[in-house]
Amino acid sequence: MKKNLLPALVVCVLGALMLTPASAAAAGILDRDVILVGTEATYPPFEYRNDKNEIVGYDIEVVQAIGKHLGKKVDIVDMAFDGLIPALMTAKIDLVAAGMTNTEERRKKVDFSDVYYDIENAFVVRGNDGSIATLDDLKGKIATVQIGTAQDTFITGTGLPAEIKRFQKNDDALMEVKVGRGDFSVLNLTVANAFLRNNKTFGEDLKIGFRNKIHREGEGIALGIPKGDEAFLKAVNDAIALMKKNGEFDELKKKYQMD
């Protein structure tokens, strides 16, 4: 009797060993009660900490609404931006909501939901600096940027700045410009407006020199999903479609002054 059970037991054990943590997590996301959402909470109005140190923002309410539509609880995990995709790939989180653009390079590693916010980018300079008004004006300047972002990829690809300083947070990148150790910082236009409107540290000394659209057709802010989990991806996209149709996105954009 025990000999007959042994082959089946070996098959089960080998099958479990062959199932990677990422594939196991991806296969079971819709079967669990809680979705772990990774973010980087220094990116207002998309995600940031309020006066009570709670993580709030546009993206946070988006994933909470999606969780509600899916009948799931949502837990937010705050981490460095450049660690989000590795965390998703190794099943430490189930989804990324971090103002992240669905670039071609990222799509090689993870899947993305449908785009739920189209973006434009801002080049922030000191308030008394009138020398930066076009892309050509960036030549020979010192740029600052949040590491690993679409803006990092873009400004690197231009080959225009003499130097690019990379930071974990937009706050630090902007401060570098404010104190004169950088000439401009490139970041999401909505985020730039939020910093300049709501943060006295920057609003009185910095301004937007110019803005432009840098992304390819179809690229924009989307949610990162474990690669190959078609069921979870469809469920998230269905929720996004419903939220677009019933006006939830419009209400959130109005609440966070996104337009």
Side-chain angles (χ1 to χ4, degrees):
M1 183 69 175
K2 290 182 180 179
K3 289 183 179 180
N4 291 335
L5 289 173
L6 185 59
L9 178 60
V10 170
V11 170
C12 290
V13 171
L14 289 176
L17 292 174
M18 291 173 65
L19 190 61
T20 65
S23 62
I29 291 175
L30 286 180
D31 297 324
R32 298 199 298 272
D33 296 327
V34 179
I35 297 174
L36 294 179
V37 176
T39 195
E40 194 271 312
T42 62
Y43 202 58
F46 291 94
E47 40 272 328
Y48 59 98
R49 290 184 180 273
N50 63 17
D51 295 338
K52 298 178 181 179
N53 203 36
E54 299 165 329
I55 300 175
V56 297
Y58 178 79
D59 279 339
I60 305 306
E61 293 206 39
V62 166
V63 292
Q64 287 172 340
I66 289 173
K68 184 176 180 180
H69 286 299
L70 299 182
K72 309 291 182 183
K73 180 185 175 184
V74 171
D75 281 352
I76 306 298
V77 182
D78 192 10
M79 61 180 66
F81 187 85
D82 58 353
L84 288 168
I85 286 183
L88 187 62
M89 294 174 67
T90 54
K92 294 177 181 176
I93 55 176
D94 302 318
L95 183 147
V96 170
M100 184 174 282
T101 308
N102 60 341
T103 63
E104 182 179 359
E105 186 63 28
R106 289 174 179 149
R107 290 195 296 270
K108 295 176 182 177
K109 301 175 182 178
V110 300
D111 289 333
F112 281 93
S113 72
D114 293 336
V115 171
Y116 61 92
Y117 192 79
D118 294 315
I119 61 175
E120 195 172 355
N121 291 279
F123 296 79
V124 177
V125 300
R126 286 182 293 281
N128 60 359
D129 187 352
S131 68
I132 297 178
T134 69
L135 284 175
D136 289 339
D137 296 333
L138 306 182
K139 188 173 182 180
K141 303 289 188 180
I142 298 175
T144 73
V145 69
Q146 184 181 30
I147 190 169
T149 60
Q151 290 78 24
D152 185 1
T153 300
F154 168 76
I155 199 62
T156 301
T158 66
L160 292 171
E163 181 183 356
I164 300 173
K165 296 183 176 181
R166 296 174 174 86
F167 299 87
Q168 286 290 343
K169 300 178 180 180
N170 273 312
D171 310 54
D172 297 330
L174 289 170
M175 183 60 71
E176 197 76 355
V177 174
K178 177 182 175 178
V179 300
R181 292 193 294 263
D183 295 311
F184 71 93
S185 186
V186 56
L187 60 161
N188 180 293
L189 176 63
T190 300
V191 175
N193 280 330
F195 271 115
L196 301 185
R197 181 174 57 242
N198 302 323
N199 193 324
K200 292 182 179 180
T201 302
F202 303 120
E204 297 177 358
D205 301 305
L206 300 177
K207 68 179 181 180
I208 294 175
F210 72 101
R211 49 198 265 188
N212 78 335
K213 293 182 179 181
I214 66 171
H215 300 297
R216 301 174 185 176
E217 188 68 28
E219 289 187 347
I221 290 177
L223 301 173
I225 306 285
K227 202 160 190 65
D229 188 353
E230 297 298 332
F232 186 45
L233 178 61
K234 182 180 184 306
V236 169
N237 280 338
D238 286 348
I240 288 174
L242 177 60
M243 291 170 65
K244 288 179 178 179
K245 185 177 181 179
N246 67 16
E248 285 182 79
F249 277 112
D250 292 334
E251 289 300 315
L252 287 176
K253 287 178 182 178
K254 184 183 301 182
K255 176 177 179 178
Y256 289 99
Q257 299 178 285
M258 306 287 281
D259 293 325

